[in-house]
Amino acid sequence: MTSTRTHPFDLATGLTALGDGRFTGRTTAPYANMVGPFGGITAATMLRAIMEDPRHLAQPVTLTVNFAGPISDGPFEIEARPMRTNRNTQHWSLTMTQDDEVTTTATAIFANRRPTWSLTEAVPPPAPPVAAVEPSPVPDFIAWVDNYEMRFVEGGIAEIGQGRGTSTSTLWVRDEPARPLDYPALTALSDVFFPRVMHRLSRVIPAGTVSMTVYFHATPDQLAAQADRYILATARAQHFGTGFFDQTAELWNHDRDLLVTSHQIVYYKDTPA
């Protein structure tokens, strides 16, 4: 297992504090996407900015990231502002800029979690044990996928073109090389799914996330217990039309406890049939 000091994920999300909630960072080649960096790494970096701010309170409850424009290779700056801090909750606003132009905005809520009655109505997807699923081939022209070991139960990227008639994908996944799970890594893992429209249309078309929201259900104790084990992840779309589709995702730990639910709205470009 690679030390978090030298792990590619931590290098990619690394920030230098400038004071007053301002940080600088830099894109890294291993997390490049077809255009700009992998959206999950951008979202994780925004979350890390709050977690490295000495004013932050407790743990994240929700993070919403809006991808306003392309992020170029090179340095960027993040400004994180606590908009309001109450007894148990804290609201944040973040802006990422390059050359004084906004590329990404985000909001987040952090909170002190208290013991309460709990119930999970969602049910984990059926999946064989991770040892029974072989690592799956992924495109070699997209750099960021090399940072994850993916074992698809259904809906792998290799199945695009087979006319499955569904947008659902389910897989066992973890960082590659293996890395202990934390909230930034969980954020990035929420975005490891290829565009649902490609699965539904069974072909590759231009698509990109416009906005994603991550709801954190995992406690620090659950993250520590998960360590570097595989996560069971599943995603599906609800509606495609007028150039946008939505995506909902769930991430479950090795004990089938729900760690995250996530929602996205994604732009796509296609000619109607």
Side-chain angles (χ1 to χ4, degrees), residues 20-187:
D20 298 323
R22 294 169 51 243
F23 300 85
T24 59
R26 174 178 287 273
T27 62
T28 62
Y31 282 90
N33 204 348
M34 289 182 285
V35 177
F38 166 48
I41 206 70
T42 299
T45 304
M46 299 292 264
L47 185 72
R48 189 179 289 281
I50 300 176
M51 298 186 72
E52 294 192 2
D53 192 307
R55 299 169 294 180
H56 94 271
L57 176 73
Q59 294 88 39
V61 173
T62 180
L63 172 72
T64 297
V65 180
N66 303 308
F67 301 92
I71 301 172
S72 302
D73 293 340
F76 54 79
E77 184 171 316
I78 295 175
E79 181 180 7
R81 293 187 296 161
M83 306 304 292
R84 177 163 178 163
T85 300
N86 302 316
R87 178 178 297 179
N88 289 306
T89 61
Q90 187 177 54
H91 298 254
W92 287 82
S93 176
L94 303 98
T95 305
M96 177 185 287
T97 57
Q98 283 186 319
D99 299 324
D100 296 322
E101 186 173 29
V102 174
T103 65
T104 314
T105 64
T107 58
I109 299 173
F110 277 55
N112 287 307
R113 296 179 181 267
R114 297 174 295 174
T116 62
W117 174 83
S118 300
L119 173 70
T120 301
E121 286 199 358
V123 178
V130 63
V133 184
E134 293 294 324
S136 306
V138 293
D140 58 7
F141 60 88
I142 302 175
W144 68 263
V145 296
D146 290 334
N147 296 284
Y148 296 98
E149 181 183 337
M150 300 180 178
R151 298 178 179 232
F152 282 94
V153 176
E154 66 167 325
I157 192 68
E159 295 179 33
I160 292 177
Q162 297 180 11
R164 295 174 57 241
T166 176
S167 68
T168 300
S169 289
T170 300
L171 70 153
W172 290 102
V173 60
R174 68 174 177 179
D175 288 285
E176 173 60 40
R179 177 189 180 281
L181 189 64
D182 57 17
Y183 287 112
L186 195 56
T187 301

Side-chain angles (χ1 to χ4, degrees), residues 172 222 226 230-231 251-259:
W172 290 102
Q222 285 177 317
Q226 180 68 16
Y230 294 88
I231 283 174
L251 271 59
W252 301 80
N253 70 4
H254 64 286
D255 288 328
R256 308 298 176 98
D257 296 321
L258 187 61
L259 300 177

